[in-house]
Amino acid sequence: MRVSPYVYALATWFFVAVMNACVKGLDHSVPLALIALSRFGIGFLLFCPAIIKAGGFLAVLARTRHPRKQMTRATLSLIGVMCSFYAVPLLPLGDASALWNSFAFFLLLLSWPLLGEKIEVRHYAICALGFIGVLLIAQPHGTAQLMPLVLILLSAMTAAVTTLTVRLMSRDDPELTIITWMFGVSALISFIWWAAFAPKDALTTLQALLLIGAGMSGSLSQLCMTRAFKSAGAQIMGPYTYSGIVFSVILGFLFFNEVPTVWMLAGGLLIAGAIQANHVFGTETKRSR
């Protein structure tokens, strides 16, 4: 049975929300390196059958024409994930999800210096609207929550950079090669960090389940996003990006007794509106060409 790409798009952000809920449930009770290892290690294992079929790990890695960019992208992905995983337990899930959606505006602003794409005045207005939403969400928390807010925004910015880097590399490198570099290198760095520097305390059953849940849901989000892109193109994600905010608010309420504030709802609506406006304008521009 053929699954609609819109189902894949919605599932992408559902699994992202589940991953963040698992990380929040861990609440810094296990080393951050171990959470990152679960995230990338499980993802790597899921792609192993395809890697083996394509000739093996080294053969797939060797098919890149941009090894330095691949290494940079994998390292930045790991840094962004670590920033997000550290910040998520310190913020309400809905706030963290809404703030991370600033990714769309960083993507827009960085597309000119990194890809040479033209940015119009209305694009800057959309970004300004979205960042006003970010400020509304951040405002009630005060300076005590400044660090997690900064880390979430840093995670969103690194995600934008790595996404644009993938666009550049995808012109020459196979998709499986790009995926293998990211998951393989990130998992290797995480393992070295955990093995060399992190404490090795025994895990409880709940901690182990949450680690597996974070790794599985994060990997499933990647798989669903790939299927959605393959069926309908990258533009499909525009209207569905902010569904992650809704899923996060629901999970935060059900499992962490988090009630969204007026500030969060107002900021989330501004961010969602800005993302939708960017998607609409982008679609109109493509039709006019």
Side-chain angles (χ1 to χ4, degrees), residues 185-207:
V185 172
S186 298
L188 179 61
I189 295 174
S190 301
F191 175 77
I192 293 172
W193 182 12
W194 172 75
F197 303 107
K200 310 299 187 298
D201 298 330
L203 298 175
T204 66
T205 302
L206 178 59
Q207 288 171 336

PDB file of all heavy atoms in Angstrom, residues 185-207:
ATOM      1  N   VAL A 185      30.265   9.116  11.255  1.00  0.00           N
ATOM      2  CA  VAL A 185      31.237   9.993  11.920  1.00  0.00           C
ATOM      3  C   VAL A 185      30.696  10.490  13.259  1.00  0.00           C
ATOM      4  O   VAL A 185      31.415  10.502  14.265  1.00  0.00           O
ATOM      5  CB  VAL A 185      31.598  11.181  11.003  1.00  0.00           C
ATOM      6  CG1 VAL A 185      32.452  12.211  11.756  1.00  0.00           C
ATOM      7  CG2 VAL A 185      32.352  10.693   9.771  1.00  0.00           C
ATOM      8  N   SER A 186      29.422  10.895  13.287  1.00  0.00           N
ATOM      9  CA  SER A 186      28.833  11.404  14.529  1.00  0.00           C
ATOM     10  C   SER A 186      28.783  10.319  15.601  1.00  0.00           C
ATOM     11  O   SER A 186      29.060  10.574  16.777  1.00  0.00           O
ATOM     12  CB  SER A 186      27.423  11.952  14.266  1.00  0.00           C
ATOM     13  OG  SER A 186      27.464  13.036  13.370  1.00  0.00           O
ATOM     14  N   ALA A 187      28.430   9.090  15.189  1.00  0.00           N
ATOM     15  CA  ALA A 187      28.400   7.979  16.146  1.00  0.00           C
ATOM     16  C   ALA A 187      29.796   7.662  16.659  1.00  0.00           C
ATOM     17  O   ALA A 187      29.992   7.400  17.857  1.00  0.00           O
ATOM     18  CB  ALA A 187      27.790   6.738  15.495  1.00  0.00           C
ATOM     19  N   LEU A 188      30.790   7.723  15.783  1.00  0.00           N
ATOM     20  CA  LEU A 188      32.168   7.430  16.182  1.00  0.00           C
ATOM     21  C   LEU A 188      32.682   8.469  17.175  1.00  0.00           C
ATOM     22  O   LEU A 188      33.276   8.116  18.208  1.00  0.00           O
ATOM     23  CB  LEU A 188      33.073   7.385  14.951  1.00  0.00           C
ATOM     24  CG  LEU A 188      34.561   7.115  15.217  1.00  0.00           C
ATOM     25  CD1 LEU A 188      34.748   5.759  15.886  1.00  0.00           C
ATOM     26  CD2 LEU A 188      35.351   7.200  13.913  1.00  0.00           C
ATOM     27  N   ILE A 189      32.454   9.755  16.888  1.00  0.00           N
ATOM     28  CA  ILE A 189      32.899  10.810  17.801  1.00  0.00           C
ATOM     29  C   ILE A 189      32.186  10.683  19.148  1.00  0.00           C
ATOM     30  O   ILE A 189      32.802  10.826  20.209  1.00  0.00           O
ATOM     31  CB  ILE A 189      32.652  12.201  17.188  1.00  0.00           C
ATOM     32  CG1 ILE A 189      33.512  12.393  15.934  1.00  0.00           C
ATOM     33  CG2 ILE A 189      32.967  13.306  18.204  1.00  0.00           C
ATOM     34  CD1 ILE A 189      33.229  13.682  15.191  1.00  0.00           C
ATOM     35  N   SER A 190      30.883  10.402  19.107  1.00  0.00           N
ATOM     36  CA  SER A 190      30.114  10.245  20.343  1.00  0.00           C
ATOM     37  C   SER A 190      30.650   9.081  21.170  1.00  0.00           C
ATOM     38  O   SER A 190      30.779   9.182  22.401  1.00  0.00           O
ATOM     39  CB  SER A 190      28.632  10.004  20.019  1.00  0.00           C
ATOM     40  OG  SER A 190      28.088  11.060  19.282  1.00  0.00           O
ATOM     41  N   PHE A 191      30.975   7.975  20.488  1.00  0.00           N
ATOM     42  CA  PHE A 191      31.492   6.803  21.197  1.00  0.00           C
ATOM     43  C   PHE A 191      32.841   7.104  21.849  1.00  0.00           C
ATOM     44  O   PHE A 191      33.074   6.731  23.013  1.00  0.00           O
ATOM     45  CB  PHE A 191      31.628   5.623  20.240  1.00  0.00           C
ATOM     46  CG  PHE A 191      32.274   4.421  20.871  1.00  0.00           C
ATOM     47  CD1 PHE A 191      31.548   3.603  21.726  1.00  0.00           C
ATOM     48  CD2 PHE A 191      33.610   4.121  20.627  1.00  0.00           C
ATOM     49  CE1 PHE A 191      32.134   2.506  22.336  1.00  0.00           C
ATOM     50  CE2 PHE A 191      34.208   3.017  21.220  1.00  0.00           C
ATOM     51  CZ  PHE A 191      33.468   2.219  22.080  1.00  0.00           C
ATOM     52  N   ILE A 192      33.725   7.769  21.114  1.00  0.00           N
ATOM     53  CA  ILE A 192      35.044   8.103  21.673  1.00  0.00           C
ATOM     54  C   ILE A 192      34.890   9.020  22.881  1.00  0.00           C
ATOM     55  O   ILE A 192      35.549   8.832  23.917  1.00  0.00           O
ATOM     56  CB  ILE A 192      35.930   8.760  20.596  1.00  0.00           C
ATOM     57  CG1 ILE A 192      36.267   7.738  19.502  1.00  0.00           C
ATOM     58  CG2 ILE A 192      37.215   9.323  21.213  1.00  0.00           C
ATOM     59  CD1 ILE A 192      36.977   8.333  18.305  1.00  0.00           C
ATOM     60  N   TRP A 193      34.001  10.010  22.763  1.00  0.00           N
ATOM     61  CA  TRP A 193      33.769  10.941  23.869  1.00  0.00           C
ATOM     62  C   TRP A 193      33.224  10.196  25.088  1.00  0.00           C
ATOM     63  O   TRP A 193      33.687  10.388  26.216  1.00  0.00           O
ATOM     64  CB  TRP A 193      32.810  12.031  23.409  1.00  0.00           C
ATOM     65  CG  TRP A 193      32.523  13.082  24.441  1.00  0.00           C
ATOM     66  CD1 TRP A 193      33.182  13.291  25.626  1.00  0.00           C
ATOM     67  CD2 TRP A 193      31.494  14.069  24.385  1.00  0.00           C
ATOM     68  NE1 TRP A 193      32.633  14.343  26.314  1.00  0.00           N
ATOM     69  CE2 TRP A 193      31.600  14.833  25.576  1.00  0.00           C
ATOM     70  CE3 TRP A 193      30.517  14.381  23.458  1.00  0.00           C
ATOM     71  CZ2 TRP A 193      30.733  15.890  25.846  1.00  0.00           C
ATOM     72  CZ3 TRP A 193      29.669  15.435  23.723  1.00  0.00           C
ATOM     73  CH2 TRP A 193      29.778  16.178  24.902  1.00  0.00           C
ATOM     74  N   TRP A 194      32.234   9.335  24.848  1.00  0.00           N
ATOM     75  CA  TRP A 194      31.640   8.586  25.965  1.00  0.00           C
ATOM     76  C   TRP A 194      32.656   7.622  26.582  1.00  0.00           C
ATOM     77  O   TRP A 194      32.787   7.542  27.815  1.00  0.00           O
ATOM     78  CB  TRP A 194      30.417   7.815  25.467  1.00  0.00           C
ATOM     79  CG  TRP A 194      29.863   6.865  26.491  1.00  0.00           C
ATOM     80  CD1 TRP A 194      29.137   7.179  27.604  1.00  0.00           C
ATOM     81  CD2 TRP A 194      30.022   5.437  26.497  1.00  0.00           C
ATOM     82  NE1 TRP A 194      28.824   6.034  28.305  1.00  0.00           N
ATOM     83  CE2 TRP A 194      29.355   4.957  27.650  1.00  0.00           C
ATOM     84  CE3 TRP A 194      30.643   4.529  25.643  1.00  0.00           C
ATOM     85  CZ2 TRP A 194      29.304   3.603  27.963  1.00  0.00           C
ATOM     86  CZ3 TRP A 194      30.588   3.180  25.946  1.00  0.00           C
ATOM     87  CH2 TRP A 194      29.931   2.732  27.092  1.00  0.00           C
ATOM     88  N   ALA A 195      33.382   6.898  25.738  1.00  0.00           N
ATOM     89  CA  ALA A 195      34.328   5.893  26.248  1.00  0.00           C
ATOM     90  C   ALA A 195      35.494   6.529  27.003  1.00  0.00           C
ATOM     91  O   ALA A 195      35.976   5.967  27.995  1.00  0.00           O
ATOM     92  CB  ALA A 195      34.860   5.049  25.086  1.00  0.00           C
ATOM     93  N   ALA A 196      35.927   7.700  26.570  1.00  0.00           N
ATOM     94  CA  ALA A 196      37.124   8.302  27.151  1.00  0.00           C
ATOM     95  C   ALA A 196      36.830   9.198  28.352  1.00  0.00           C
ATOM     96  O   ALA A 196      37.634   9.280  29.288  1.00  0.00           O
ATOM     97  CB  ALA A 196      37.870   9.098  26.078  1.00  0.00           C
ATOM     98  N   PHE A 197      35.679   9.885  28.338  1.00  0.00           N
ATOM     99  CA  PHE A 197      35.482  10.937  29.339  1.00  0.00           C
ATOM    100  C   PHE A 197      34.221  10.800  30.192  1.00  0.00           C
ATOM    101  O   PHE A 197      34.159  11.366  31.286  1.00  0.00           O
ATOM    102  CB  PHE A 197      35.436  12.309  28.636  1.00  0.00           C
ATOM    103  CG  PHE A 197      36.658  12.612  27.827  1.00  0.00           C
ATOM    104  CD1 PHE A 197      36.609  12.583  26.441  1.00  0.00           C
ATOM    105  CD2 PHE A 197      37.863  12.912  28.442  1.00  0.00           C
ATOM    106  CE1 PHE A 197      37.734  12.854  25.684  1.00  0.00           C
ATOM    107  CE2 PHE A 197      38.992  13.191  27.695  1.00  0.00           C
ATOM    108  CZ  PHE A 197      38.931  13.157  26.309  1.00  0.00           C
ATOM    109  N   ALA A 198      33.206  10.092  29.705  1.00  0.00           N
ATOM    110  CA  ALA A 198      31.934  10.046  30.435  1.00  0.00           C
ATOM    111  C   ALA A 198      31.955   8.963  31.508  1.00  0.00           C
ATOM    112  O   ALA A 198      32.613   7.933  31.349  1.00  0.00           O
ATOM    113  CB  ALA A 198      30.777   9.799  29.466  1.00  0.00           C
ATOM    114  N   PRO A 199      31.232   9.177  32.616  1.00  0.00           N
ATOM    115  CA  PRO A 199      31.110   8.123  33.635  1.00  0.00           C
ATOM    116  C   PRO A 199      30.344   6.930  33.086  1.00  0.00           C
ATOM    117  O   PRO A 199      29.518   7.072  32.190  1.00  0.00           O
ATOM    118  CB  PRO A 199      30.340   8.813  34.765  1.00  0.00           C
ATOM    119  CG  PRO A 199      29.647   9.973  34.128  1.00  0.00           C
ATOM    120  CD  PRO A 199      30.520  10.408  33.002  1.00  0.00           C
ATOM    121  N   LYS A 200      30.627   5.753  33.622  1.00  0.00           N
ATOM    122  CA  LYS A 200      30.033   4.503  33.121  1.00  0.00           C
ATOM    123  C   LYS A 200      29.086   3.890  34.158  1.00  0.00           C
ATOM    124  O   LYS A 200      29.147   2.707  34.471  1.00  0.00           O
ATOM    125  CB  LYS A 200      31.134   3.488  32.788  1.00  0.00           C
ATOM    126  CG  LYS A 200      32.248   4.020  31.915  1.00  0.00           C
ATOM    127  CD  LYS A 200      31.756   4.478  30.561  1.00  0.00           C
ATOM    128  CE  LYS A 200      32.896   4.850  29.636  1.00  0.00           C
ATOM    129  NZ  LYS A 200      33.703   5.980  30.123  1.00  0.00           N
ATOM    130  N   ASP A 201      28.211   4.702  34.710  1.00  0.00           N
ATOM    131  CA  ASP A 201      27.263   4.199  35.700  1.00  0.00           C
ATOM    132  C   ASP A 201      26.261   3.254  35.032  1.00  0.00           C
ATOM    133  O   ASP A 201      25.905   3.415  33.858  1.00  0.00           O
ATOM    134  CB  ASP A 201      26.511   5.365  36.353  1.00  0.00           C
ATOM    135  CG  ASP A 201      27.443   6.303  37.109  1.00  0.00           C
ATOM    136  OD1 ASP A 201      28.481   5.820  37.603  1.00  0.00           O
ATOM    137  OD2 ASP A 201      27.147   7.510  37.176  1.00  0.00           O
ATOM    138  N   ALA A 202      25.807   2.266  35.802  1.00  0.00           N
ATOM    139  CA  ALA A 202      24.816   1.323  35.284  1.00  0.00           C
ATOM    140  C   ALA A 202      23.497   2.043  35.007  1.00  0.00           C
ATOM    141  O   ALA A 202      23.091   2.937  35.752  1.00  0.00           O
ATOM    142  CB  ALA A 202      24.599   0.195  36.289  1.00  0.00           C
ATOM    143  N   LEU A 203      22.849   1.658  33.906  1.00  0.00           N
ATOM    144  CA  LEU A 203      21.585   2.283  33.525  1.00  0.00           C
ATOM    145  C   LEU A 203      20.414   1.566  34.183  1.00  0.00           C
ATOM    146  O   LEU A 203      20.434   0.340  34.349  1.00  0.00           O
ATOM    147  CB  LEU A 203      21.406   2.242  32.005  1.00  0.00           C
ATOM    148  CG  LEU A 203      22.429   2.993  31.157  1.00  0.00           C
ATOM    149  CD1 LEU A 203      22.165   2.729  29.685  1.00  0.00           C
ATOM    150  CD2 LEU A 203      22.390   4.491  31.442  1.00  0.00           C
ATOM    151  N   THR A 204      19.397   2.328  34.541  1.00  0.00           N
ATOM    152  CA  THR A 204      18.150   1.725  34.976  1.00  0.00           C
ATOM    153  C   THR A 204      17.377   1.283  33.733  1.00  0.00           C
ATOM    154  O   THR A 204      17.697   1.675  32.598  1.00  0.00           O
ATOM    155  CB  THR A 204      17.296   2.724  35.772  1.00  0.00           C
ATOM    156  OG1 THR A 204      16.883   3.792  34.892  1.00  0.00           O
ATOM    157  CG2 THR A 204      18.096   3.308  36.946  1.00  0.00           C
ATOM    158  N   THR A 205      16.351   0.473  33.948  1.00  0.00           N
ATOM    159  CA  THR A 205      15.532   0.017  32.821  1.00  0.00           C
ATOM    160  C   THR A 205      14.886   1.190  32.104  1.00  0.00           C
ATOM    161  O   THR A 205      14.848   1.246  30.867  1.00  0.00           O
ATOM    162  CB  THR A 205      14.445  -0.957  33.319  1.00  0.00           C
ATOM    163  OG1 THR A 205      15.060  -2.068  33.968  1.00  0.00           O
ATOM    164  CG2 THR A 205      13.589  -1.454  32.158  1.00  0.00           C
ATOM    165  N   LEU A 206      14.383   2.162  32.878  1.00  0.00           N
ATOM    166  CA  LEU A 206      13.734   3.329  32.279  1.00  0.00           C
ATOM    167  C   LEU A 206      14.727   4.136  31.450  1.00  0.00           C
ATOM    168  O   LEU A 206      14.406   4.569  30.335  1.00  0.00           O
ATOM    169  CB  LEU A 206      13.124   4.207  33.374  1.00  0.00           C
ATOM    170  CG  LEU A 206      12.438   5.496  32.885  1.00  0.00           C
ATOM    171  CD1 LEU A 206      11.304   5.166  31.922  1.00  0.00           C
ATOM    172  CD2 LEU A 206      11.916   6.319  34.064  1.00  0.00           C
ATOM    173  N   GLN A 207      15.936   4.345  31.967  1.00  0.00           N
ATOM    174  CA  GLN A 207      16.939   5.098  31.220  1.00  0.00           C
ATOM    175  C   GLN A 207      17.283   4.401  29.907  1.00  0.00           C
ATOM    176  O   GLN A 207      17.394   5.054  28.860  1.00  0.00           O
ATOM    177  CB  GLN A 207      18.198   5.283  32.077  1.00  0.00           C
ATOM    178  CG  GLN A 207      18.042   6.264  33.215  1.00  0.00           C
ATOM    179  CD  GLN A 207      19.245   6.251  34.148  1.00  0.00           C
ATOM    180  OE1 GLN A 207      19.974   5.266  34.239  1.00  0.00           O
ATOM    181  NE2 GLN A 207      19.463   7.364  34.847  1.00  0.00           N
TER     182      GLN A 207
END
